[in-house]
Amino acid sequence: MDRDRRALSAAGRAATVVLPVAFLAVFFAWPLGAILGRGLVVDGRPDVPFDVLTASTTRDVAWFTLWQATVSTVLTLIAALPLAWALSRFRFPGRSLVEALVLVPFVLPTVVVATAFVALLPDGVERSVWAILLAHVFFNVAVVVRIVGAFWAGLDQRLWDAAATLGASPADRQLRVTVPLLAPALASAASIVFLFCFTSFGVILILGGPRYSTLETEIYNQAARLFDLRTAAALGLLQLAAVAAAVLVSGRLERRLGGGRRRGDAARRPVGGERIAVAVVVLGSLGLLALPPVALVLRSLQVGAGYGLDHFSALAHETPALFVAPWHAILNSLLFSTAATAIALAVGIPAAVAVASGRRGLDVALMLPLGASAALLGFGFLLAFDDPPLDLRSSPAIVPLAQALVALPFVVRSLVPALRALDVRLREAAAILGASPAQVRREVELPLLARPLAVAAGLAFAVSLGEFGATIFVVRADWPTVPVAIFRFLGRPGEANSGAAMALCVVLMALVAAVALLSERALVRRRPR
């Protein structure tokens, strides 16, 4: 009996690796290989694109990509650190709600964020490098608040008390105690923000226009508009190499944190002048984060010189910008996102189990879809799945598969910490009482993982709902998603088209915000009291 159980356990562990590896091989490596092979192989021989990689235009695009990602990262750290301090070191009424609201910008689709800044900023500024930088800060503040705040909350208050006893001023305590202690968390958060900004697509495409181009948008231009797959593939390899380096740095920094993550919540009630400082930081940050969504809502209601619901009511009628009425795009997005979430959970749960058990190589492989060019992957899907046995090019099923590939890393990252936190003694006690491995998972582990699973599902749904980079390539014209419909409306002149784009953005923003708040509520409930 024991031998049979060990055999079943070994087979289960193997299955947790085989399924995610097979999914990545078919829906990541194959499409990526298809597009690279089409662009970099001529007459059966590799065509190394040194001329593309050394061209002055490539250097200019690569430099702007690096520059805007670096500046965006620095500005995000400056904007987010005060809020991370307030939320991590102090306990006050509504703290959990503030944490949930801060998360909303991060899960908003990039198309919505870019459109919100078009609505917020004045003419002449709404499509500029400053618009790009501000949108990236708005989008990534939650990353810094979460990573740095979680680490900051676990630091022992007695360290600052001891420094104060030795005569250190508040500025000295921050400079000589806080900054060195937070250095690993700051570096980890900065590397992740840099990665998101480096591969940014929707924000650059809408706010940058033809004047500002990054590697990601240039790949899209070369593949979709100029049909130059050789240049697109070369730029894709360059971006993938840069992202791989960033992922390796991020992974090393995360391992440096190791057991020094959270050692309890050291938050306390603010006293004296701290109350004013916390109130100013929290209310000021929320006010600034609310500006783009509020501007978006106001623009969606603006009809001529007045206000009304005309743009929302127009969503029920067909328009030249789409082959269907815009409300069909809303239903399509909900349908595709539900299917993508189911796929991401089916693959992500066993993948998270494997990563939590120490499969570091799989962990890195699961992060690669975030770094690869979404435009390149989307085009690769069309090339790879155009023939049997997987002829998906004309099938709507290709959309949730592409979205699940993007959502998968978020599912794994949501579940791995919870799996690692499971007390092994619970499994041992259940096994001693005669429970089989299946019973242990069903009766012991699953109830403990219910809320992390809900968080992972909510995050996957929100990410799939707003996915744009790959979807714009693979979606059929008569099955548009909301982000694709928004982009098409923004590309056509006239108040009716811009109004429809704003109205769709508000609908999508409301859907994503609701999912994010529900997921955050599940996470808050999971925390120990």
Side-chain angles (χ1 to χ4, degrees):
M1 181 66 72
D2 290 341
R3 183 178 299 175
D4 292 339
R5 285 185 176 180
R6 286 195 295 269
L8 287 173
S9 178
R13 287 195 298 270
T16 62
V17 177
V18 171
L19 180 59
V21 168
F23 183 82
L24 289 175
V26 174
F27 296 108
F28 176 68
W30 187 9
L32 191 61
I35 187 70
L36 293 179
R38 183 69 65 91
L40 301 180
V41 177
V42 178
D43 297 328
R45 294 183 179 182
D47 178 21
V48 182
F50 288 117
D51 56 324
V52 176
L53 296 176
T54 58
S56 59
T57 53
T58 301
R59 290 197 301 269
D60 292 341
V61 170
W63 167 248
F64 179 73
T65 305
L66 178 64
W67 179 86
Q68 64 84 21
T70 303
V71 175
S72 296
T73 301
V74 173
L75 293 177
T76 302
L77 288 173
I78 294 172
L81 284 178
L83 187 57
W85 165 78
L87 293 176
S88 63
R89 303 305 298 175
F90 301 103
R91 189 181 297 111
F92 52 87
R95 179 188 178 200
S96 297
L97 178 61
V98 173
E99 291 176 338
L101 292 175
V102 170
L103 177 65
V104 171
F106 177 69
V107 296
L108 285 178
T110 55
V111 174
V112 173
V113 172
T115 308
F117 275 86
V118 171
L120 174 67
L121 298 175
D123 294 341
V125 182
E126 82 279 13
R127 285 183 170 83
S128 66
V129 67
W130 286 108
I132 293 172
L133 298 177
L134 290 174
H136 282 161
V137 172
F138 172 83
F139 191 76
N140 290 297
V141 160
V143 176
V144 177
V145 171
R146 283 305 180 90
I147 295 176
V148 177
F151 194 71
W152 207 335
L155 298 180
D156 196 337
Q157 176 64 32
R158 291 174 295 182
L159 295 171
W160 286 274
D161 296 338
T165 302
L166 294 174
S169 65
D172 286 336
R173 292 199 294 271
Q174 297 298 326
L175 184 62
R176 299 187 180 185
V177 179
T178 304
V179 173
L181 289 173
L182 291 179
L186 288 170
S188 180
S191 63
I192 294 174
V193 173
F194 178 86
L195 177 65
F196 285 139
C197 296
F198 193 89
T199 58
S200 178
F201 179 64
V203 168
I204 306 291
L205 192 65
I206 293 175
L207 297 180
R211 183 178 179 186
Y212 299 102
S213 185
T214 60
L215 287 173
E216 182 71 14
T217 57
E218 190 61 24
I219 291 169
Y220 170 79
N221 289 331
Q222 294 294 332
R225 294 175 176 172
L226 302 178
F227 301 103
D228 186 351
L229 297 187
R230 182 173 180 271
T231 299
L235 296 177
L237 285 177
L238 179 61
Q239 175 171 302
L240 193 60
V243 167
V247 169
L248 289 175
V249 171
S250 176
R252 290 196 175 197
L253 291 172
E254 184 178 345
R255 287 193 291 273
R256 279 186 60 189
L257 292 175
R261 292 171 183 168
R262 287 181 64 103
R263 295 183 293 274
D265 191 347
R268 57 181 175 81
R269 295 278 184 181
V271 296
E274 291 175 342
R275 295 176 180 173
I276 299 176
V278 170
V280 170
V281 168
V282 171
L283 295 178
S285 298
L286 289 180
L288 291 175
L289 290 176
L291 284 177
V294 169
L296 184 61
V297 172
L298 291 177
R299 282 286 296 271
S300 70
L301 296 173
Q302 188 173 355
V303 181
Y307 292 90
L309 297 175
D310 298 30
H311 297 310
F312 288 91
S313 61
L315 299 180
H317 306 291
E318 291 189 8
T319 170
L322 301 175
F323 285 92
V324 296
W327 70 269
H328 281 284
I330 299 173
L331 294 181
N332 294 340
S333 288
L334 293 174
L335 176 64
F336 290 146
S337 299
T338 302
T341 300
I343 297 170
L345 288 175
V347 179
I349 291 173
V353 172
V355 171
S357 64
R359 306 274 185 172
R360 288 185 178 177
L362 181 60
D363 189 18
V364 174
L366 289 166
M367 294 300 109
L368 289 179
L370 288 181
S373 166
L376 211 60
L377 279 176
F379 211 107
F381 263 65
L382 297 180
L383 295 177
F385 304 127
D386 192 29
D387 299 303
L390 284 177
D391 187 3
L392 301 174
R393 183 167 180 171
S394 60
S395 171
I398 197 173
V399 177
L401 287 169
Q403 293 176 347
L405 185 67
V406 177
L408 178 61
F410 294 94
V411 171
V412 174
R413 286 299 185 185
S414 299
L415 294 178
V416 167
L419 287 167
R420 286 174 174 165
L422 288 176
D423 192 340
V424 69
R425 292 173 296 181
L426 295 174
R427 299 191 204 118
E428 294 172 349
I432 291 173
L433 294 174
S436 66
Q439 287 177 314
V440 171
R441 285 191 289 271
R442 185 176 62 251
E443 303 295 337
V444 178
E445 296 179 348
L446 187 58
L448 294 174
L449 294 173
R451 296 201 182 281
L453 282 170
V455 172
L459 192 54
F461 187 85
V463 169
S464 302
L465 200 62
E467 207 289 319
F468 174 63
T471 303
I472 194 173
F473 278 91
V474 300
V475 72
R476 284 171 41 171
D478 56 341
W479 283 79
T481 62
V482 174
V484 172
I486 292 170
F487 181 69
R488 289 178 181 171
F489 277 121
L490 289 176
R492 298 174 70 93
E495 181 186 350
N497 288 312
S498 63
M502 301 294 173
L504 280 175
C505 281
V506 171
V507 172
L508 187 56
M509 181 172 64
L511 290 172
V512 172
V515 172
L517 291 174
L518 288 174
S519 298
E520 180 66 16
R521 186 177 181 184
L523 184 60
V524 170
R525 285 181 175 178
R526 175 176 166 265
R527 291 174 183 165
R529 299 293 181 184

